[in-house]
Amino acid sequence: MREAQRCVECKDPPPCEEACPLHNRIRDWLVLAADGKFLQAAAISRLTSNMPEICGRICPQDRLCESECIIGVKNKPVAIGAVERFINEYAFEKLGRIPGPKRAWRTGKRVAVVGAGPAGLACAEELVKRGYGVTVFEAMPHAGGLLVYGIPGFKLEKWVVERRVEYLKRLGVEFRCSTRLGPELTLDDLFNQGYEAVFIGIGAQKPKNPKIPGMDLHGVHIALPFLVRNNLGPDRLPAGQWSRDDLDGKLVTVFGGGDTAMDCLRTSVRLGAARVVCVYRRDEENMPGSRQEVKRTKEEGVEFFLYTAPVKFLGDEAGWLSKVECIRMELGEPDASGRRSPIPVDGSNFEIETDFAILAFGFDGNPVHDAGGKLKVRKDGCYETDENKMTSWPGVFAGGDAVRGPDLLVTALKDGRDAAGAIDRYLSPRSEAVTCQEGSLRSYA
Ligand SMILES: Cc1cc2nc3c(=O)[nH]c(=O)nc-3n(C[C@H](O)[C@H](O)[C@H](O)COP(=O)(O)OP(=O)(O)OC[C@H]3O[C@@H](n4cnc5c(N)ncnc54)[C@H](O)[C@@H]3O)c2cc1C
């Protein structure tokens, strides 16, 4: 309550709300929370977000809502994420579960959602609320996307994601896990099975790997599989895919400066590595991830080599990694992303002793097999969509990382919600779609 009371209730539009991709009604929930009205505050937070308790935990608030908080000009900004998490956990505890919305008139139409990450789950929720029958097809054994198969449990506990999935099942969303859209199950098959529209939310999980000599040495690893095998138990993985890396006493170097790199660094610390080093080619200011995550990583004892890039991996006779040759960088003119591009400094090469290297250079899209070539895909493997989130195949929509490339939970949720609205307009052009919003508010009245 004391933290929420720090909000000075900025006039419309509150800058924190403008900075949130979902335009969450932050000021309203802070005012209610400041008054101890936690259930009402939580209900308001659920109106615009499908996973407020998860956004409260992992959104980079320091780059979004909290970065615009007016209090932050002279003091610490209001801890918006922490309040969001608290009011929603309070509501879970008091009510026992997330209150369901009022059922909408059933349209009798079915929609397939491919990919059970946040984009797919938000789209599925918004569609069932509008009266559609929704089936989610997911390649992995469990729903959640990168929230389960990527982000480590020390940042986001898996039961929090499972609780969301249980809620969606209660709403009537059907899940077909361990089912991959591809040559065996195509988009045509889905339409032939009676689905009238499809939403593709398959993320962007293909690792970007620049060719660096020595990458084939034992001891050079790719970030996402490393995170998955070391943060999940066998119960959540396809049969036979579970193992753990023994990092006890090892010298670990992680290449990259985004959230994935920070998660690899912090996982390595937890696995008992003797020394954990982050190598990043720009400065801290230009790191793509959350500042908060960099701060936590430093607090855990990780060393940072900034303005540094790998040149080659060096190994012993048996083919095991022993060192990485690196080169110092300086920043030149801004590139297409607006960030200053790093330029190698001649003759500045040096070596870092390493016996376990993890490459976290980012991701490209990995589009589904589409024999007819009917889906337009960009060079980075992500889908092209129009302003209604529809792809070049009428009735097939897409969003989240599958369209944007690697981005954030909150933008994936936004895309899923927007696509659900667009699918509704596409399938029921004259329908007055009933949304849940009034329903969930009424259940608190
Ligand atoms: C290590 C890591 C840490 C991150 N940390 C943060 C953070 O702290 N805060 C933040 O906001 N964001 C973070 N992100 C980014 C965030 O997780 C993603 O932006 C978000 O999950 C994207 O959601 P999505 O639904 O588009 O895709 P995803 O979450 O990638 O989900 C896609 C789903 O589609 C499934 N799929 C793929 N292909 C097929 C197919 N052919 N058939 C069926 N299913 C398929 C996948 O198995 C997956 O379940 C992080 C990302 C990573 C990798």
Side-chain angles (χ1 to χ4, degrees):
M1 283 172 67
R2 212 170 292 149
E3 187 58 24
Q5 283 161 9
R6 294 180 63 230
C7 172
V8 292
E9 298 175 40
C10 293
K11 295 236 173 319
D12 280 336
C16 55
E17 297 184 10
E18 288 286 284
C20 170
L22 289 169
H23 298 307
N24 281 336
R25 287 168 53 184
I26 298 168
R27 181 185 57 192
D28 292 350
W29 87 49
L30 287 175
V31 168
L32 287 164
D35 237 4
K37 294 177 177 153
F38 303 134
L39 289 182
Q40 289 94 328
I44 299 268
S45 80
R46 288 198 303 272
L47 292 180
T48 50
S49 174
N50 302 72
M51 302 184 175
E53 75 287 6
I54 303 183
C55 289
R57 283 170 166 87
I58 65 161
C59 263
Q61 287 95 4
D62 55 340
R63 287 203 281 141
L64 299 172
C65 53
E66 292 178 16
S67 75
E68 294 301 316
C69 172
I70 202 81
I71 301 283
V73 175
K74 290 207 173 144
N75 293 294
K76 272 191 166 186
V78 176
I80 296 167
V83 176
E84 184 182 28
R85 173 180 172 165
F86 170 76
I87 54 178
N88 281 285
E89 288 306 327
Y90 181 91
F92 275 121
E93 207 179 299
K94 281 283 161 204
L95 304 169
R97 59 189 202 173
I98 310 168
K102 284 216 155 155
R103 279 227 166 268
W105 187 264
R106 287 189 196 273
T107 62
K109 294 177 181 172
R110 291 159 71 214
V111 179
V113 168
V114 184
L121 295 182
C123 185
E125 177 172 359
E126 295 305 311
L127 284 169
V128 279
K129 283 174 181 174
R130 288 168 160 91
Y132 293 92
V134 180
T135 309
V136 179
F137 296 86
E138 166 56 48
M140 297 302 280
H142 291 263
L146 287 171
L147 304 183
V148 172
Y149 297 100
I151 300 177
F154 57 80
K155 244 171 79 177
L156 173 61
E157 309 91 317
K158 303 301 163 195
W159 60 264
V160 174
V161 185
E162 274 157 15
R163 187 172 57 181
R164 264 289 147 190
V165 175
E166 284 312 311
Y167 160 74
L168 291 175
K169 286 182 185 164
R170 257 197 297 124
L171 282 191
V173 177
E174 193 193 328
F175 284 89
R176 300 229 187 117
C177 288
S178 304
T179 308
R180 179 177 286 277
L181 198 77
E184 279 95 48
L185 177 69
T186 63
L187 286 168
D188 278 323
D189 293 337
L190 293 179
F191 284 110
N192 291 338
Q193 286 174 21
Y195 295 101
E196 294 181 48
V198 179
F199 174 76
I200 301 182
I202 59 170
Q205 301 189 7
K206 187 173 168 202
K208 264 189 215 292
N209 275 332
K211 296 269 167 287
I212 304 171
M215 271 174 60
D216 50 347
L217 288 167
H218 300 300
V220 182
H221 300 265
I222 307 291
L224 200 51
F226 167 81
L227 287 173
V228 168
R229 65 179 179 263
N230 288 297
N231 284 305
L232 291 172
D235 52 321
R236 287 201 173 82
L237 292 168
Q241 279 194 19
W242 184 74
S243 62
R244 275 270 192 273
D245 291 306
D246 177 11
L247 295 193
D248 209 16
K250 291 239 165 80
L251 306 173
V252 178
T253 305
V254 177
F255 298 87
D259 284 336
T260 306
M262 298 309 128
D263 288 350
C264 291
L265 292 157
R266 297 177 69 196
T267 299
S268 303
V269 171
R270 282 161 181 74
L271 291 173
R275 182 190 187 201
V276 184
V277 170
C278 175
V279 169
Y280 180 59
R281 60 194 183 139
R282 293 186 167 96
D283 57 350
E284 193 171 325
E285 202 42 41
N286 280 291
M287 280 183 159
S290 151
R291 301 277 164 280
Q292 192 60 32
E293 287 304 306
V294 176
K295 185 167 166 262
R296 289 186 184 129
T297 308
K298 282 187 176 164
E299 280 166 4
E300 293 183 8
V302 169
E303 286 172 59
F304 280 72
F305 282 70
L306 299 173
Y307 298 107
T308 305
V311 175
K312 63 176 151 193
F313 296 98
L314 306 164
D316 59 20
E317 295 93 54
W320 285 91
L321 176 71
S322 57
K323 286 176 192 159
V324 191
E325 184 184 320
C326 294
I327 188 163
R328 297 264 180 228
M329 312 292 276
E330 59 188 12
L331 294 184
E333 293 302 310
D335 62 14
S337 72
R339 291 183 302 162
R340 293 174 63 194
S341 28
I343 303 166
V345 178
D346 278 346
S348 65
N349 300 42
F350 67 102
E351 291 175 351
I352 303 176
E353 268 191 61
T354 300
D355 34 33
F356 198 98
I358 305 170
L359 313 182
F361 293 126
F363 302 94
D364 280 330
N366 194 11
V368 284
H369 171 85
D370 163 35
K374 285 202 261 177
L375 287 171
K376 272 198 195 152
V377 173
R378 296 192 310 258
K379 252 192 182 158
D380 62 358
C382 294
Y383 290 107
E384 279 185 19
T385 53
D386 65 13
E387 65 283 4
N388 288 315
K389 312 250 168 263
M390 188 142 79
T391 65
S392 46
W393 184 329
V396 179
F397 296 74
D401 286 4
V403 171
R404 295 170 179 265
D407 206 0
L408 295 172
L409 161 66
V410 67
T411 48
L413 295 178
K414 175 169 173 36
D415 284 359
R417 295 173 69 85
D418 289 350
I423 291 170
D424 185 33
R425 291 192 296 277
Y426 175 78
L427 292 180
S428 315
R430 284 183 301 280
S431 87
E432 286 173 19
V434 181
T435 71
C436 74
Q437 305 192 347
E438 223 189 319
S440 37
L441 265 183
R442 249 189 238 143
S443 57
Y444 282 118

